[in-house]
Amino acid sequence: MALLYKADPQRGERWRQLFAAHAPDIEFRQWPDIGNPAEIEYLAAWQAPDDLATLLPNLKALLAISAGVDQLNLSALPPHLPVARMLDPGITQGMCEYATWAVLSLHRDMLRYRAQQQAGAWEARALVPASQRRVGVMGMGQQGKAIVKCLQGLGFALSGWARSAHQLTGVECFAGPAQLPAFLGQCDILICLLPLTEQTRGILDLSLFEQLPRGAALINMGRGAHLNEADLLTALASGQLSGAVLDVLGVEPAPADHPFWQHPGIMLTPHIAAMTQPDSAFAVLLDNIRRHQRGEPLNGQIDRADGY
Ligand code: GLV
C-alpha cells in the first residue's frame, strides 16, 4: 500500500523520513514518481493531479496538505472520494502568531509610526487600551477559536462571526448573514479567516467596509479572492479604513506594478502566516489514514457540497 505526496518537494523529504520511521507499512512516494498507480490508496496533496479517477484507480482518500481546500477543483474529483483539510497544530500556531502580530501592529499604529520614521517625524499618538479595541474574527473554526484565545490573553474586546452559531466564553458570537451588520458595526479591527467558497468570494468589498466603524482596519489571512482589491483602495483613500495587513492576494506573487507594494496604509506579506509543518502535521495525517483504515470518519473531512 502506498501514499502519494504531491506538494512542496523540499518538505517532501521530511515527510519521507517520518513515514519511514513511524509508518513503515505505508510506502511513501513523491510526485511525479508514482510507481505502480494501482498501489496508491492515499494522496497527500496541495493540488490534485488532473483526472484522478483514471490516474489512481484505487485511491481511498485525498488528504489535503493545507488548511484551505479551495485550490482543489472539488467538482472534478471522484464524487465519493473523502477529502480532508489539514488540521495541523503547527498551522494553528503560525496563524496565532501572525494574527497577534498584525492586531498589535494595527492597534499600536505601527503603519503610521513606520511612515513617520521614514519621514523623520517624532510624534506620539494617543494610546488606546486593548480593552477598548474591538477585534472581530470572521470564521470561527479551529484557527479562529485559537486566535481569539491568544487575543483574549492580551485583553482585547473580542467578537466572532461565522455561518453557524458558536459559543465561546468572553467572546460575543454572531451567526449568519442576518447578524453580519451588527457584527461589523462593532469591529475596530476585522480579521478574515473564512474558507473561500462561492458565498465568501469577494465578501471583503466596499459595502462590507462601509458597515465597519469609520477608521477600522482589516487583516486578511484567508484567501486573496475574499478581497475586492480596488474596493480596499477606495476605502483607504476615503478614510473609511485606516489600514490593512494582507497575507494573501488575488494573484500571488503580486505583480511588480501592484499598487499595494508601495501603499502606506497596507502591510503586505507573501502568504507566510502559517505553513504546514511536517513534524506536527505527520501525526495528524497518519491518524487520518489509520482512522480511514478502521472505517472511521476522517478528522477535518470536508462537506463536498459546502466546499469546506
Ligand atoms: C495555507 O494557506 C493553507 O491553507 O494551509
Side-chain angles (χ1 to χ4, degrees):
M1 190 270 273
L3 170 137
L4 177 64
Y5 170 90
K6 185 177 179 293
D8 176 61
Q10 273 163 14
R11 279 181 275 169
E13 278 317 303
R14 183 63 190 140
W15 282 101
R16 183 187 300 283
Q17 291 165 359
L18 289 161
F19 271 96
H22 304 289
D25 58 307
I26 303 171
E27 194 192 328
F28 181 90
R29 295 184 191 162
Q30 186 161 332
W31 179 270
D33 299 325
I34 67 172
N36 178 358
E39 291 163 358
I40 295 172
E41 295 187 7
Y42 298 96
L43 172 64
W46 163 246
Q47 267 168 336
D50 292 336
D51 202 6
L52 208 50
T54 318
L55 184 71
L56 304 177
N58 295 322
L59 190 67
K60 297 204 166 124
L62 168 51
L63 306 167
I65 218 81
S66 52
V69 291
D70 52 281
Q71 75 283 2
L72 297 167
N73 181 1
L74 295 175
S75 59
L77 300 176
H80 301 297
L81 185 73
V83 178
R85 307 187 306 114
M86 170 51 75
L87 300 178
D88 169 24
I91 294 185
T92 307
Q93 173 70 21
M95 296 296 269
C96 284
E97 289 172 4
Y98 188 96
T100 304
W101 161 79
V103 166
L104 286 174
S105 298
L106 293 166
H107 167 58
R108 296 302 305 266
D109 267 328
M110 288 302 158
L111 283 168
R112 285 188 195 79
Y113 284 122
R114 186 184 58 171
Q116 283 187 201
Q117 180 182 347
Q118 283 158 0
W122 187 278
E123 187 190 317
R125 290 163 182 275
L127 223 161
V128 177
S131 58
Q132 286 173 31
R133 192 75 79 183
R134 300 162 300 174
V135 181
V137 175
M138 292 180 99
M140 293 296 282
Q142 171 166 310
Q143 321 292 352
K145 289 191 178 122
I147 286 173
V148 153
K149 251 198 194 144
C150 286
L151 295 174
Q152 268 179 325
L154 292 167
F156 288 101
L158 289 155
S159 63
W161 178 84
R163 203 175 71 149
S164 53
H166 289 265
Q167 280 199 330
L168 272 172
T169 314
V171 181
E172 194 175 354
C173 291
F174 298 81
Q179 293 182 5
L180 185 57
F183 165 74
L184 294 171
Q186 51 84 69
C187 287
D188 300 316
I189 299 177
L190 176 68
I191 307 179
C192 175
L193 289 168
L194 292 167
L196 181 63
T197 65
E198 282 322 302
Q199 284 73 44
T200 65
R201 186 175 294 276
I203 189 168
L204 302 174
D205 65 3
L206 201 55
S207 74
L208 179 142
F209 300 147
E210 281 167 353
Q211 295 174 67
L212 295 167
R214 186 162 175 83
L218 171 71
I219 300 169
N220 190 12
M221 306 172 60
R223 288 287 186 255
H226 284 127
L227 175 66
N228 181 321
E229 295 183 356
D231 283 4
L232 174 62
L233 291 173
T234 305
L236 287 169
S238 73
Q240 176 56 21
L241 289 187
S242 58
V245 176
L246 309 174
D247 186 49
V248 285
L249 277 190
V251 176
E252 296 176 8
D257 60 351
H258 198 289
F260 290 0
W261 284 120
Q262 305 298 337
H263 198 295
I266 295 176
M267 172 79 86
L268 188 59
T269 55
H271 205 140
I272 46 73
M275 285 174 206
T276 304
Q277 305 292 319
D279 284 277
S280 51
F282 173 76
V284 178
L285 195 90
L286 183 62
D287 179 51
N288 252 351
I289 294 174
R290 298 303 185 214
R291 292 172 74 88
H292 185 267
Q293 288 173 329
R294 291 193 299 265
E296 296 168 16
L298 301 173
N299 276 326
Q301 185 160 338
I302 66 155
D303 183 322
R304 294 277 292 273
D306 286 347
Y308 71 99

